[in-house]
Amino acid sequence: MQNRVDISVVIPLLNEAESLPELTQWINRVMVSHGFLYEVILIDDGSTDNSWKVIQELSAQDPNLKGIRFNRNYGKSAALNTGFRETTGRVVITMDADLQDSPDEIPELYKMIVEDGYDLVSGWKKKRFDPLSKTLPTKLFNAATRKISKIKLHDFNCGLKAYDERVVKSIEVYGEMHRYIPVIAKWNGFGKIGEKIVQHRERKYGYTKFGLERFVYGFLDLMSITFVSKFRKRPMHFFGSLGSLSFLIGFLITSWLVIEKVYYSYKNQVARDVTDQPLFFLALVAVVVGVQLFLAGFLAEMVSLSGRRKNEYLIRDNIGF
């Protein structure tokens, strides 16, 4: 049996060796001053600097620090998903390793989960130190996500979040879906989602690991998570509906053309051959597409019943587990 702690802090990182000593010392000061039992799980997502060596040194000095080292870079979602599986805390806090998230926010986030009963609390960096080229796309991205998900958060992608332990043990984060953890949580039945204004600090060491392409990927991921969440368990409802509609339209058009030809022939009137009309071929395409969509829905239904997505990441080393 693993020892129970109040707070588990999960920190994914990539080449953040310079910031780790200051960050872990800061977390320790906050936890000790508030009397929390805690653990810090550092996920080294394939760093090429000496981040893992620093984690080893820090964990030797502080038994509350644990580390997991990936064999290569899998991405932030993989790091969070792996960290979530290993947590033992009543409340789970996620934060970035670049010192732009303040550990001083942890006690209030903990209170909102334990005392106020939130399932998830997301940080909102209301005042940011990022350039306009980053803040403007972020606002557009957040507005689109709010519209589609119906979750009233200002900053879905903020790394500083707090979770009830039930949430992190019930959801699965894969691909680049870390941006949409509130959306995943809501569609898994955890609907009490709150927000807290948090401090955004300027980067002290290193450089950002994300470029503008993340906004393109973010939009595609939003479409993906929306579809998967709604139709993962019933893909036939999506593909079957579209397929049936397409087939019905094609069948009705074809039937009308045939009936029209028969009627004019019966009246001894001149009528174009059915196969001479472009509309007939469009109708034929609609019928074929309808059949294919229906079959795609049937196959997707079979796959969903017989299999489940598994995330397996190659862990090279770990400390404290």
Side-chain angles (χ1 to χ4, degrees):
M1 294 287 292
Q2 292 178 305
N3 294 327
R4 179 74 163 182
V5 298
D6 300 314
I7 301 176
S8 295
V9 183
V10 177
I11 304 175
L13 62 104
L14 176 64
N15 297 332
E16 298 288 358
E18 293 177 302
S19 64
L20 289 176
E22 184 175 340
L23 176 63
T24 54
Q25 290 169 14
W26 191 355
I27 293 173
N28 178 263
R29 288 197 304 270
V30 172
M31 297 299 187
V32 171
S33 65
H34 288 81
F36 290 131
L37 296 176
Y38 75 99
E39 64 180 359
V40 177
I41 302 176
L42 300 165
I43 316 294
D44 183 354
D45 186 24
S47 294
T48 55
D49 64 357
N50 64 335
S51 291
W52 184 246
K53 182 180 179 181
V54 172
I55 292 173
Q56 289 177 312
E57 294 171 351
L58 293 173
S59 64
Q61 302 168 13
D62 185 353
N64 296 308
L65 299 184
K66 302 177 181 180
I68 295 175
R69 184 187 187 190
F70 284 166
N71 199 50
R72 65 171 178 84
N73 177 247
Y74 287 104
K76 189 173 183 178
S77 293
L80 289 175
N81 196 66
T82 301
F84 287 164
R85 290 204 305 260
E86 301 297 336
T87 58
T88 61
R90 166 69 179 84
V91 173
V92 177
I93 304 288
T94 60
M95 62 192 314
D96 294 334
D98 54 14
L99 291 173
Q100 290 189 285
D101 296 330
S102 172
D104 290 333
E105 309 282 359
I106 292 176
E108 184 61 29
L109 290 171
Y110 176 85
K111 178 183 176 182
M112 293 179 72
I113 297 293
V114 174
E115 297 183 14
D116 299 337
Y118 285 100
D119 296 316
L120 185 157
V121 179
S122 181
W124 174 22
K125 296 174 181 177
K126 190 173 183 179
K127 181 180 180 182
R128 303 184 68 98
F129 294 97
D130 296 320
L132 185 63
S133 61
K134 184 176 180 180
T135 56
L136 183 59
T138 296
K139 289 182 178 180
L140 295 174
F141 159 78
N142 285 315
T145 307
R146 275 196 304 273
K147 183 71 174 178
I148 293 175
S149 68
K150 310 300 181 185
I151 301 175
K152 298 188 182 301
L153 294 180
H154 291 85
D155 191 357
F156 284 84
N157 198 33
C158 179
L160 184 58
K161 289 183 174 66
Y163 308 81
D164 186 285
E165 62 176 335
R166 297 171 302 150
V167 177
V168 301
K169 299 301 183 184
S170 302
I171 64 174
E172 187 174 16
V173 189
Y174 59 90
E176 294 295 325
M177 297 303 180
H178 59 272
R179 303 179 181 92
Y180 302 107
I181 292 181
V183 181
I184 298 172
K186 179 186 175 183
W187 283 331
N188 276 275
F190 300 103
K192 192 169 183 181
I193 298 174
E195 186 172 60
K196 180 184 183 301
I197 296 177
V198 297
Q199 179 185 5
H200 182 222
R201 308 174 73 245
E202 294 187 72
R203 175 178 275 275
K204 189 173 182 179
Y205 304 105
Y207 57 92
T208 182
K209 310 304 187 298
F210 301 100
L212 291 176
E213 71 277 359
R214 69 174 181 160
F215 298 109
V216 177
Y217 299 152
F219 175 77
L220 297 176
D221 288 336
L222 179 59
M223 297 299 99
S224 176
I225 193 63
T226 301
F227 175 82
V228 170
S229 297
K230 289 185 176 181
F231 300 106
R232 177 178 57 185
K233 299 298 183 183
R234 50 186 194 280
M236 180 58 86
H237 288 194
F238 178 79
F239 291 105
S241 297
L242 290 180
S244 298
L245 180 62
S246 179
F247 180 87
L248 181 61
I249 291 173
F251 177 78
L252 291 176
I253 293 175
T254 303
S255 298
W256 169 258
L257 294 175
V258 172
I259 292 172
E260 183 183 48
K261 174 65 176 178
V262 172
Y263 175 78
Y264 282 120
S265 297
Y266 177 74
K267 294 291 187 177
N268 294 319
Q269 297 179 7
V270 178
R272 293 174 62 187
D273 290 338
V274 173
T275 54
D276 286 342
Q277 302 186 54
L279 188 59
F280 168 74
F281 294 99
L282 293 176
L284 191 62
V285 170
V287 170
V288 173
V289 169
V291 172
Q292 290 179 330
L293 285 172
F294 190 88
L295 290 176
F298 176 76
L299 293 175
E301 195 80 23
M302 298 299 293
V303 170
S304 69
L305 291 174
S306 61
R308 181 174 176 268
R309 179 188 292 270
K310 293 288 186 180
N311 284 327
E312 297 296 340
Y313 307 109
L314 184 58
I315 296 175
R316 184 172 180 178
D317 202 355
N318 67 75
I319 302 171
F321 296 98

